[in-house]
């Protein structure tokens, strides 16, 4: 028998699993027996999705969703006691990080954060990281005992398929009584139904301060749609209010590693490069020939985005029809 | 109201950051170190509150080598009332769990109504520390806040995650972390820089905190392999002569990217 890998799956406010579930379960199945923990209402939606994505066993715990993180950690602690896993995998999302932090502190376990892969050798579970903006590949492990791993959303391509006879078990949880913040009101973010998510996207088109305005930034969206790409941005574009903060690529934003990255009106500051320099192919359009982004670009175009990009979109459309 | 702001000494993001390929640890000699920008914003939240609440006390706390003194001095010059510097040889290469344990012991000793941290440090970017501290201290946490309102007995704000935006509130004492949506830190004034030299400054060792860094006591997260990726080579750069858009489309199609 292989060792258990406990996976905390996150649910959206509407009760289905978030998109990180497939990668987490894919990663877990590759190194052991995937035991999923779903914390939420028992309407069967999330546990069914977990089984479809490869969970071999699902633990279902109810929790007070108005209390931030603590009930989830109480459930995680109970699940850990039940299955004695070799590793606990969570998403490196805001909620996943909070749960990982509290849980690791409670059990005094080591944490490996922002992993882009997990492996195992004869000594135990290893986490792979892409450090300092992709400048280094680092592997980490626990000196002894289980490792808590937060996994970068979108970084894992491995997918698992459903196994026959996957069981759903109810997990009783004793509340720890640790004080928690209250969620007074929650507003789900409406994701674009047509565009891919930035994390894990195969192609990304990003815009910077060079787009000049919210109206100007629409050009980034047009090219993204022509390429079936996700939309990203520099911090300057976020600060200027052209796009929501969730689109920020870079050191303090999202790290992406797509097949194609197109930077429009972005100078290529070191903090921006830290979030995109591992892309396979980089294209940049900037009117300043000295812009540092050109040092990374496979194809650099010195020109005005407002003339180059509409011409490119028209050419793509012409070639298609 | 006693507000503790956790400030981290990090490699300046404007320079190249390097890892030692032998130890896997950040090379401190390779780049200049600064007070992390996100922690300047955290300090700004505390100082803005203190500006209108004369009884508020702001303490800056950092766990870092001796060379991080300028970072704590800067926090004092910006307006923190006192600083606590945790320095110990045994903390060299400390992992997140040990860092959290030591910072929690420091916070327990210093005392606090509210702890403010950055959501993600620019070097570690782990973002798990605030929740770890809250658990060790058995208090509530509210992380990734893009707005913060501090009251006598509670702290509340807007918490944005990948899937939702929520209004959250936590009873004090609590740990919060803030995002870069909050304003930049203020610049130290000349008066502030002079005053910083006279402010209370405490240096603590592991022994002072009644703890140790014994690797046999608790498991550590360690690096087992480190490799530098080859630098990226630049490709072709062309200057638009009226047809660059067409050439962009051709490049995308030829490389099967469109
Ligand atoms: C601690 C820290 C963390 C940071 N984290 C991030 C991060 O995560 N992500 C990030 O992006 N930044 C980050 N930054 C900010 C970063 O330093 C830069 O300020 C930012 O990336 C600049 O964005 P930009 O390239 O859009 O703007 P600018 O640097 O102002 O560049 C705009 C570019 O647009 C070009 N341009 C203007 N008009 C046109 C036109 N019509 N056609 C073509 N080109 C045009 C200009 O030539 C210029 O090169 C961080 C900074 C710090 C200090
Ligand atoms: N060594 C440290 N000393 C003081 N504060 C720290 C330290 N490490 C992390 N922090 C705080 O925790 C926040 C999040 O850090 P991290 O979990 O490393 O992303 C930082 O913005 C700091 O406020």
């Amino acid at each position: 028998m292989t060792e258990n890998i406990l996976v905390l799956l996150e649910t959206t406010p509407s009760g289905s699993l978030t998109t990180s579930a497939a990668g987490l379960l894919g990663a877990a199945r590759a190194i052991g027996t995937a035991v999923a923990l779903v914390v939420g209402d028992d309407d069967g939606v999330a546990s069914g999705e977990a089984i479809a994505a490869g969970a071999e066993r699902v633990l279902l715990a109810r929790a007070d969703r108005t209390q931030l993180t603590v009930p989830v950690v109480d459930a995680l602690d109970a699940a850990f006691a039940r299955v004695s896993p070799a590793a606990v995998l969570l998403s490196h999302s805001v909620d996943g990080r909070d749960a990982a932090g509290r849980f690791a502190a409670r059990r005094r376990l080591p944490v490996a954060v922002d992993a882009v892969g997990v492996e195992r050798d004869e000594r135990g579970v290893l986490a792979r990281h892409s450090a300092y903006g992709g400048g280094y590949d680092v592997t980490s492990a626990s000196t002894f005992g289980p490792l808590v791993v937060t996994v970068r959303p979108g970084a894992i391509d491995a997918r698992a398929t459903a196994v026959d006879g996957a069981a759903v078990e109810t997990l009783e949880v004793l509340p720890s009584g640790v004080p928690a913040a209250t969620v007074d009101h929650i507003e789900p973010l409406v994701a674009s139904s047509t565009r891919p998510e930035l994390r894990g996207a195969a192609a990304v088109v990003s815009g910077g301060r060079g787009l000049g305005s919210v109206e100007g930034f629409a050009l980034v969206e047009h090219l993204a749609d022509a390429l079936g790409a996700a939309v990203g941005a520099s911090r300057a574009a976020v600060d200027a209010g052209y796009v929501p903060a969730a689109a920020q690529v870079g050191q303090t934003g999202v790290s992406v590693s797509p097949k194609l990255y197109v930077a429009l009106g972005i100078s290529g500051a070191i903090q921006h490069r830290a979030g995109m320099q591992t892309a396979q192919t980089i294209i940049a359009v900037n009117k300043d020939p000295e812009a540092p982004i050109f040092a990374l670009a496979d194809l650099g175009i010195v020109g005005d985005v407002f003339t180059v990009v509409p011409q490119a979109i028209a050419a793509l459309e012409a070639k298609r029809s | 109201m006693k507000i503790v702001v956790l400030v981290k000494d990090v490699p300046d993001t404007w320079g190249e950051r390097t890892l030692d390929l032998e130890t896997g640890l950040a090379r401190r000699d390779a780049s200049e170190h600064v007070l992390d920008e996100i922690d300047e914003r955290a300090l700004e939240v505390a100082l803005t509150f203190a500006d209108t609440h004369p009884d508020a006390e702001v303490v800056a706390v950092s766990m870092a080598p001796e060379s991080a003194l300028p970072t704590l001095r800067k926090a004092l010059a910006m307006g923190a009332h006192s600083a606590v510097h945790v320095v110990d040889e045994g903390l060299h290469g400390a992992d997140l769990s040990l860092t959290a344990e030591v910072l929690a012991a420091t916070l327990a000793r210093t005392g606090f109504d509210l702890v403010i941290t950055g959501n993600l440090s620019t070097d570690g970017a782990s973002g798990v520390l605030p929740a770890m501290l809250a658990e060790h201290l058995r208090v509530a946490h509210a992380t990734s806040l893009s707005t913060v309102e501090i009251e006598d007995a509670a702290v509340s704000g807007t918490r944005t995650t990948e899937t939702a935006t929520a209004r959250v509130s936590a009873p004090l004492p609590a740990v919060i972390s803030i995002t870069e949506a909050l304003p930049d830190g203020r610049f130290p004034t000349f008066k502030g820089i002079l005053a910083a030299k006279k402010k209370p400054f405490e240096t603590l060792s592991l022994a002072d905190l009644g703890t140790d860094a014994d690797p046999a006591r608790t498991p550590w997260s360690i690096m087992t392999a480190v490799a530098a990726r080859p630098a990226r080579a630049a490709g072709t750069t062309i200057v638009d002569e009226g047809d660059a858009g067409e050439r962009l489309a051709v490049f995308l199609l030829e490389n099967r990217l469109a």
Side-chain angles (χ1 to χ4, degrees), chain A residues 208-210 233-237 248-253 265-269 271-272 285-288 291 303-306, chain B residues 13-14 37 122 180:
Chain A
R209 202 193 320 254
S234 71
R235 184 162 97 174
Q248 183 172 319
V249 171
Q251 192 173 351
T252 50
I266 292 178
S267 62
Q271 300 92 350
H272 186 78
V285 184
N286 193 307
K287 60 182 185 192
D288 173 11
D304 190 320
V305 288
F306 295 106
Chain B
T13 60
W14 289 104
E37 188 205 57
T122 49
E180 59 185 16

Side-chain angles (χ1 to χ4, degrees), chain A residues 95 98 102 106 108 135 137 139 141 143 182 184-185 187 189 235 248 270-271 277-279 297 300 302 311, chain B residues 13 37 101 122 135 139 141 143 159 163 165 167 169 180 220 222 224-225 227 229 232 235-236 238 240 242 245:
Chain A
D95 286 328
D98 281 354
R102 274 202 184 264
R106 190 175 294 183
R108 196 51 184 89
D137 293 316
T139 308
T143 48
T182 316
D184 300 320
H185 176 76
E187 195 78 46
L189 290 184
R235 184 162 97 174
Q248 183 172 319
I270 191 165
Q271 300 92 350
Q277 63 196 359
T278 58
V302 181
Q311 190 182 62
Chain B
T13 60
E37 188 205 57
E101 206 180 292
T122 49
E135 184 70 23
V139 299
H141 76 264
T143 44
R159 180 174 182 268
T163 53
T165 300
R167 287 285 315 164
S169 54
E180 59 185 16
W220 283 48
I222 50 160
T224 57
R229 282 236 196 109
R232 218 188 156 91
T236 328
I238 58 170
D240 182 22

Side-chain angles (χ1 to χ4, degrees), chain B residues 215-247:
Chain B
R217 177 168 58 90
T218 48
W220 283 48
S221 160
I222 50 160
M223 275 164 268
T224 57
V226 187
R229 282 236 196 109
R232 218 188 156 91
T236 328
T237 299
I238 58 170
V239 177
D240 182 22
E241 285 167 350
D243 63 347
E246 307 263 357
R247 291 172 70 180

Side-chain angles (χ1 to χ4, degrees), chain A residues 104-198:
Chain A
R106 190 175 294 183
R107 286 263 168 186
R108 196 51 184 89
L109 294 174
V111 214
V113 292
D114 202 20
V116 294
V118 291
E119 284 161 18
R120 63 165 310 143
D121 65 10
E122 60 290 349
R123 312 248 296 278
V125 173
L126 302 168
R128 286 195 295 104
H129 311 265
S130 176
Y132 281 172
Y136 295 87
D137 293 316
V138 175
T139 308
S140 70
S142 167
T143 48
F144 55 90
L147 185 66
V148 177
V149 185
T150 65
V151 177
R152 181 180 294 182
I156 295 195
D157 295 329
R159 292 290 179 269
T161 50
V163 293
D164 284 339
V168 179
E169 303 160 36
T170 307
L171 184 72
E172 291 302 329
V173 181
L174 270 185
S176 60
V178 172
T182 316
V183 181
D184 300 320
H185 176 76
I186 188 156
E187 195 78 46
L189 290 184
V190 271
S192 152
S193 53
T194 47
R195 265 183 219 130
E197 256 185 78
L198 181 55

Side-chain angles (χ1 to χ4, degrees), chain A residues 26-113:
Chain A
R29 278 280 291 281
I31 56 169
T33 301
V35 183
L37 170 63
V38 174
V39 184
D41 294 326
D42 183 11
D43 59 5
V45 174
S47 46
E49 288 172 345
I51 290 170
E56 289 160 282
R57 212 173 140 187
V58 179
L59 307 179
L60 196 59
R62 280 173 188 281
D64 179 355
R65 307 261 312 191
T66 65
Q67 301 283 298
L68 193 63
T69 314
V70 172
V72 173
V73 173
D74 293 349
L76 194 55
D77 200 51
F80 184 84
R82 182 180 294 190
V83 306
S84 307
V88 180
L89 307 189
L90 308 92
S91 175
H92 192 69
S93 60
V94 172
D95 286 328
R97 297 197 305 258
D98 281 354
R102 274 202 184 264
F103 173 69
R106 190 175 294 183
R107 286 263 168 186
R108 196 51 184 89
L109 294 174
V111 214
V113 292

